[in-house]
Each structure stands twice: as structure tokens, then as C-alpha cells.
């Protein structure tokens, strides 16, 4: 299980880090609901259409709960919550909800963390066992259906 990365150079001229090189993660491709449902079906006794129905319902319920002011915690996955991007106001009384100051609403996801009581370490459960690989070392054609190499 590798996280594929690509080298990139900071090209922002007024940045203190201009010209420095960094890693950026790159996905091989996006896995869709049907593929996820098929994989869940392999590990359970439910059918792929049943799993797809549950996943679509989950999306609808997340929307309903998040837009009603709730955070949503899914055990084994993590927590979804809303955040807003706001422009500053000179005075508190001028900062009104649904005003020109509210620029965007976003969904923030925080993955569930695992605590190792023996060492005190905290790990992201979704990234357990991850390794890192340079995507340039992997023959990757974004238009094909790649099969990632075995770790």
C-alpha cells in the first residue's frame, strides 16, 4: 500500500520558499461508489446493490445532518464537520450570518485516530501500513486503468 508522490517546485516568486522542491501526493485514479460497494460485498454477506443503496443514503444523511448543524462521527472512519470561510469585519455587530462576510461553507473530515497505550503514539487508522513511492518510478498512464504494483 503505497502513497504515490510527485516532485514539484515552489514557483511563487514572493515566497521565502521560492525554488525549493517538495513532494505532493498523487492518486493513481479515483475509486467510485460501485467499486467500493463491490469490495465491501467481498468482505460481507450483503449484495453490491444493498451496499450501494446504503452508501448513497449515507451521502444524503451526511448532507442532512451537516446542514442542520451537527458533526457526524462514523466509528472506524472519522468525523465530518462544517467550517466557514469568512471575510473580516471591523466591528462585531457588522458580522452577520448569511451576509457578504460569509464566503464559503466547507466540510472538514478528521480521520479516526488510534492510540497505542504502551508507547503513547497516535496513528491515523486509515494510513496504517502506508509506504511512500515516487510516481515517476511507476509506469502510470492516467487514461488507463492501472493496477498498483505489489508492495
Amino acid at each position: 500500500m503505497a502513497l504515490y508522490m510527485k516532485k514539484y517546485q515552489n514557483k511563487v516568486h514572493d515566497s521565502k520558499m521560492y525554488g525549493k522542491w517538495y513532494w505532493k501526493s498523487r492518486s493513481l485514479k479515483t475509486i467510485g461508489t460501485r467499486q467500493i460497494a463491490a469490495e465491501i460485498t467481498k468482505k460481507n454477506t450483503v449484495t453490491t446493490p444493498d451496499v450501494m443503496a446504503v452508501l448513497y443514503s449515507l451521502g444524503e444523511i451526511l448532507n442532512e445532518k451537516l446542514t442542520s448543524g451537527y458533526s457526524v462521527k462514523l466509528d472506524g472512519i472519522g468525523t465530518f464537520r462544517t467550517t466557514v470561510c469568512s471575510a473580516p469585519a471591523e466591528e462585531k455587530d457588522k458580522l452577520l450570518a448569511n451576509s457578504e462576510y460569509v464566503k464559503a461553507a466547507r466540510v472538514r473530515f478528521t480521520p479516526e485516530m488510534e492510540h497505542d497505550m504502551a508507547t503513547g503514539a497516535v496513528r491515523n487508522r486509515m494510513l496504517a501500513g502506508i509506504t511512500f513511492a515516487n510516481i515517476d518510478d511507476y509506469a502510470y498512464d492516467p487514461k488507463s486503468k492501472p493496477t498498483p504494483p505489489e508492495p
Side-chain angles (χ1 to χ4, degrees):
M1 297 184 289
L3 171 64
Y4 291 96
M5 304 176 299
K6 187 156 184 74
K7 295 175 187 173
Y8 85 97
Q9 187 176 31
N10 181 330
K11 295 184 181 181
V12 179
H13 290 283
D14 58 352
S15 169
K16 291 180 183 179
M17 300 300 159
Y18 176 75
K20 304 284 185 193
W21 288 88
Y22 298 89
W23 286 110
K24 275 193 173 182
S25 63
R26 290 287 178 250
S27 297
L28 293 176
K29 69 181 269 190
T30 300
I31 304 298
T33 306
R34 286 190 178 137
Q35 289 168 294
I36 294 294
E39 290 191 30
I40 291 172
T41 298
K42 289 178 190 173
K43 296 183 179 211
N44 292 282
T45 58
V46 293
T47 66
T48 299
D50 289 340
V51 174
M52 287 186 61
V54 169
L55 292 174
Y56 282 118
S57 293
L58 176 61
E60 292 173 358
I61 291 168
L62 281 171
N63 170 265
E64 178 185 312
K65 298 305 178 189
L66 292 170
T67 59
S68 296
Y70 294 94
S71 292
V72 178
K73 182 180 185 311
L74 300 176
D75 293 338
I77 296 175
T79 303
F80 296 86
R81 64 184 174 89
T82 54
T83 63
V84 294
C85 181
S86 171
E90 294 297 325
E91 299 172 26
K92 181 179 179 181
D93 294 340
K94 293 194 181 213
L95 195 60
L96 304 173
N98 293 325
S99 70
E100 69 273 9
Y101 292 103
V102 179
K103 299 298 181 190
R106 295 187 172 96
V107 174
R108 187 69 46 122
F109 172 71
T110 305
E112 186 172 289
M113 303 302 270
E114 203 170 65
H115 301 275
D116 184 331
M117 296 302 197
T119 65
V122 179
R123 290 181 206 85
N124 180 332
R125 290 187 65 203
M126 291 192 180
L127 298 178
I130 194 169
T131 60
F132 301 95
N134 184 345
I135 200 164
D136 293 333
D137 295 339
Y138 173 61
Y140 169 63
D141 176 5
K143 293 178 183 160
S144 71
K145 294 181 180 177
T147 302
E150 291 297 317

